[in-house]
Amino acid sequence: MALPTSLEDLALLRETVELECKLAHGQNGQGEVPKDFWPIYSAMANAYGGVVLLGVREKNGVFAVAGIPHPAKVRADLFNTLNNPGKVSANLLTDADVQELVLQDCTVLRVRIPQATRKQRPVFLNGQPLGHTYRRLNDGDRLCDEKTVKRMLAEQVEDERDARVLPGFGMDDIDGESLRIYRQMLKDERPGHPYLEQEDFEFLTSLRGWRRDRQTDSEGLTLAGLLMFGTWAAIQETAPHYFLDYQERPEARAEPTWMDRLVPDGSWTGNLFEFYRRVYRKLVADLKVPFSVKDGQRQDDTPVHKALREALVNALVHADYTGRVSVLVVKRPDMFGFRNPGGLRLPIEQVIRGGESDCRNRILHQMFLLIGLGERGGSGMPRIYGGWRSQHWRPPLLSEKSEPEQTLLALHMADLLPDEVVQGLRAQWGERFDALDAHSRLVLATAAMERTVSHSRLLELCDAHSHDLSVLLARLVRQGMLVSDGRARGTVYYLAGAALPTPEDVFSGPLLPAKPQSAIPERGRFPSFTWAASQRRAEPSELGTEPSEPSSEHSQRQQGRRDAQGRLLSNLLDAPVIDDLGVLTPDFLAHLQVLAAPARSGRLGADRMQQVICAVCQGHYVTRAVLAKLLGRSPDALRQSHISPMVRSGVLELAFPSRPTHEQQAYRTGTP
């Protein structure tokens, strides 16, 4: 990473790393490590790392250099505290991570905090992980709750999370047909394998689906054996958060409507092996990819087939089945999406590059490998990227969300520069577009197709240097072709003239035609996968004043564009909006009231209230005033106690991400 030499470099640095600035003057003005540096250290280490500049002040994106009179003393104090395990659990810094810089004739310290490895997390303070572990979420440092800390500790000590012996479970909890089909697939893949001669119990033991724990001298089914081959009733008993979900959606939009869905419903085993077999067939059933020819033989198993196979197996073997979200696989006309609970165990750049592996469920991984599914040695993600590259499609988008922890992979079937998008940009900018360099045209095309574009997304799409991309984005903003929104690493850019929708556009704007008239194709949002890395989330403190009830004049203005249930429709949003209970049909209003009834019947715990809010906001946006009225709560109390943390964690999505404090902000439940 190039060292900053000017204030302009600092402004560009903000978009590429998490950056914090601290004065570090101390009480006597001679310099000291500020006390609030240490929560930042813990938070950055437990997230994705970052940079802290000591001797610099930042306010509203404006930097002012104050300097440190005695940087050597501050540096020594920093390392003394880092090497005191009673103060900090792990010293991640080397001498090279703390460097003196000269900015405006003043000396400052640049402290680069690396991302902690799985074996180092949690990085905590004061000798106690509970209550002293921080993690960076968006631009704020949050204290981790007890569940998060315990999950970090489990990840630290358990190399394989699926080896646990399950007391009380036996062969009666195994689905015999699943085991029989797996045996046949092993025979087809590896004829003559010695496992094939074994009876079912020995066979399962050889697969490590049954084992004896030498430390406790207990034996039984392992978690891997039950999840792979078990019955639904047994799986539910041992893994209450376990849930698998496949959805085939008819359009390139985010509404929770599907033409085909597979979930454990009692009609099939619900185990991972059967889920894989059923879902893979659905994923490739109508895949329109030209076959290749090798040695004169048609090859129906194309790189795209292999990529989808790897993506599906990857989601299943890397999932944290104690997590709070489901495994979700989505098929749409324009893309495939894969989500698994649990974050990545390696830095995302390393996962994409390949060559190193740290699988969460190693027994499950080996079970799939035995029948020719999955990849070894960290080569899975490169295979996925290679399969998509073989069709000249946009690179896959791999990302993580911190709350709740999950890993997301979006595979778009779209060219980098589709002709219709280029023609639309030419119609908008004329010769100015043709005069741009290749990287600038790619930036604008990506903003047209993906609605927003970020610095990190562009690094995945092209081979430009990070600093050059920052300069390029700033230039396109100055030229009036892009508009920026957000701050620091959360900054996103969108096309000038194609601003993100605002409440005024939706609630007060003119009636819109049935279809967009722009030459640039409408981008269907896919919040749980697509653009997850670039979508800006509102901070809880940004959720501002409360709205009043919609006026009768407002309701009359909107009567002409409502659906059959009375919900407001707008081509600027990808789902309808409930903004006025008075215009809903009686049946639909009664349905909402039934969903909200638990909240109105008395005091609820936080988890139960969150479930009720998610149910009410499923499939549509609900304004804050309407939501408060349905739940029988004051808007302010609802915002502070429930809406703010749900928005922060991504459980609720904002209808208007560019105007998070607007009084008519509305919320929708994210894809389950």
Side-chain angles (χ1 to χ4, degrees), residues 578-640:
I578 300 178
D579 64 322
D580 186 354
L581 296 178
V583 298
L584 299 180
T585 63
D587 288 346
F588 187 63
L589 176 59
H591 168 69
L592 292 175
Q593 290 171 336
V594 169
L595 295 177
R600 301 184 68 90
S601 62
R603 185 178 181 85
L604 294 182
D607 289 345
R608 180 64 180 127
M609 176 62 87
Q610 184 174 124
Q611 293 173 1
V612 173
I613 293 173
C614 285
V616 172
C617 297
Q618 184 68 49
H620 42 237
Y621 294 104
V622 183
T623 62
R624 193 182 307 147
V626 167
L627 186 59
K629 188 171 183 178
L630 280 169
L631 300 177
R633 298 290 195 274
S634 76
D636 187 60
L638 188 65
R639 173 181 63 83
Q640 293 181 6

Side-chain angles (χ1 to χ4, degrees), residues 303-562:
V304 174
H305 287 80
K306 294 175 182 176
L308 289 173
R309 203 158 53 232
E310 175 61 30
L312 178 56
V313 171
N314 191 72
L316 299 179
V317 302
H318 287 280
D320 179 358
Y321 291 104
T322 66
R324 291 179 286 158
V325 297
S326 65
V327 171
L328 177 64
V329 181
V330 171
K331 178 181 179 180
R332 288 191 341 204
D334 63 324
M335 61 89 72
F336 298 92
F338 300 85
R339 178 187 74 190
N340 63 263
L344 295 169
R345 283 186 152 195
L346 295 170
I348 193 167
E349 298 82 5
Q350 176 63 52
V351 173
I352 294 173
R353 185 166 60 247
E356 187 175 345
S357 177
D358 190 2
C359 184
R360 180 173 279 112
N361 300 298
R362 300 182 183 184
I363 299 177
L364 285 173
H365 190 204
Q366 182 62 28
M367 288 175 174
F368 279 108
L369 285 172
L370 272 175
I371 55 176
L373 303 174
E375 294 291 327
R376 296 180 183 272
S379 59
M381 197 57 64
R383 165 160 284 196
I384 294 171
Y385 273 68
W388 244 240
R389 190 163 51 245
S390 72
Q391 299 300 309
H392 307 289
W393 287 335
R394 302 179 70 77
L397 176 56
L398 178 66
S399 61
E400 298 178 275
K401 290 177 69 174
S402 299
E403 289 292 330
E405 274 197 317
Q406 54 194 282
T407 302
L408 314 164
L409 177 65
L411 304 176
H412 297 273
M413 294 177 289
D415 296 336
L416 277 174
L417 292 172
D419 289 341
E420 62 271 23
V421 173
V422 171
Q423 293 305 318
L425 291 168
R426 275 204 185 101
Q428 182 176 3
W429 299 110
E431 294 181 355
R432 291 182 63 193
F433 177 76
D434 291 324
L436 295 172
D437 61 76
H439 286 147
S440 296
R441 291 197 296 270
L442 176 61
V443 170
L444 295 182
T446 302
M449 290 187 290
E450 300 189 0
R451 192 180 184 188
T452 61
V453 65
S454 67
H455 185 278
S456 59
R457 176 60 171 151
L458 290 175
L459 284 174
E460 297 176 354
L461 295 174
C462 64
D463 56 0
H465 190 274
S466 175
H467 179 272
D468 294 338
L469 283 177
S470 297
V471 173
L472 183 152
L473 288 165
R475 183 173 66 246
L476 290 174
V477 170
R478 287 196 304 271
Q479 293 174 345
M481 304 179 88
L482 283 181
V483 178
S484 65
D485 183 68
R487 63 181 296 270
R489 290 186 73 190
T491 302
V492 296
Y493 301 83
Y494 54 90
L495 288 178
L500 300 177
T502 66
E504 290 84 0
D505 296 331
V506 173
F507 295 116
S508 304
L511 293 178
L512 297 174
K515 294 183 179 180
Q517 299 299 311
S518 170
I520 300 174
E522 182 186 13
R523 193 206 77 168
R525 289 174 60 199
F526 188 21
S528 291
F529 301 112
T530 314
W531 316 285
S534 62
Q535 292 270 0
R536 178 173 180 262
R537 293 289 181 195
E539 290 295 321
S541 60
E542 291 179 306
L543 299 176
T545 58
E546 306 303 331
S548 58
E549 285 292 323
S551 66
S552 59
E553 178 185 357
H554 163 79
S555 300
Q556 292 169 4
R557 244 190 354 255
Q558 305 300 334
Q559 287 295 335
R561 35 183 189 146
R562 294 188 179 272

Side-chain angles (χ1 to χ4, degrees), residues 269-281:
T269 62
N271 62 44
L272 295 179
F273 181 58
E274 188 170 358
F275 183 77
Y276 169 83
R277 291 189 302 112
R278 287 173 173 248
V279 168
Y280 178 69
R281 289 196 296 266

Side-chain angles (χ1 to χ4, degrees), residues 17-31:
V17 298
E18 290 291 345
L19 178 65
E20 284 282 344
C21 298
K22 295 294 176 184
L23 279 179
H25 269 180
Q27 292 183 351
N28 60 8
Q30 297 304 302

Side-chain angles (χ1 to χ4, degrees), residues 647-661:
V647 170
R648 184 174 70 243
S649 66
V651 175
L652 288 181
E653 298 164 0
L654 298 175
F656 314 107
S658 66
R659 302 284 294 279
T661 62

Side-chain angles (χ1 to χ4, degrees), residues 38-39 41-43 45-46 78-93 116-130 132-134 149 152-153 156:
W38 299 110
Y41 174 82
S42 169
N46 289 323
L78 174 68
F79 277 102
N80 286 338
T81 303
L82 283 169
N83 291 318
N84 182 351
K87 296 291 185 179
V88 183
S89 64
N91 176 13
L92 307 180
L93 307 189
T117 66
R118 172 175 66 87
K119 291 291 189 179
Q120 294 168 328
R121 290 193 298 265
V123 175
F124 54 89
L125 309 177
N126 302 323
Q128 174 56 257
L130 296 180
H132 299 278
T133 298
Y134 295 81
V149 174
M152 287 184 186
L153 291 170
Q156 179 190 95

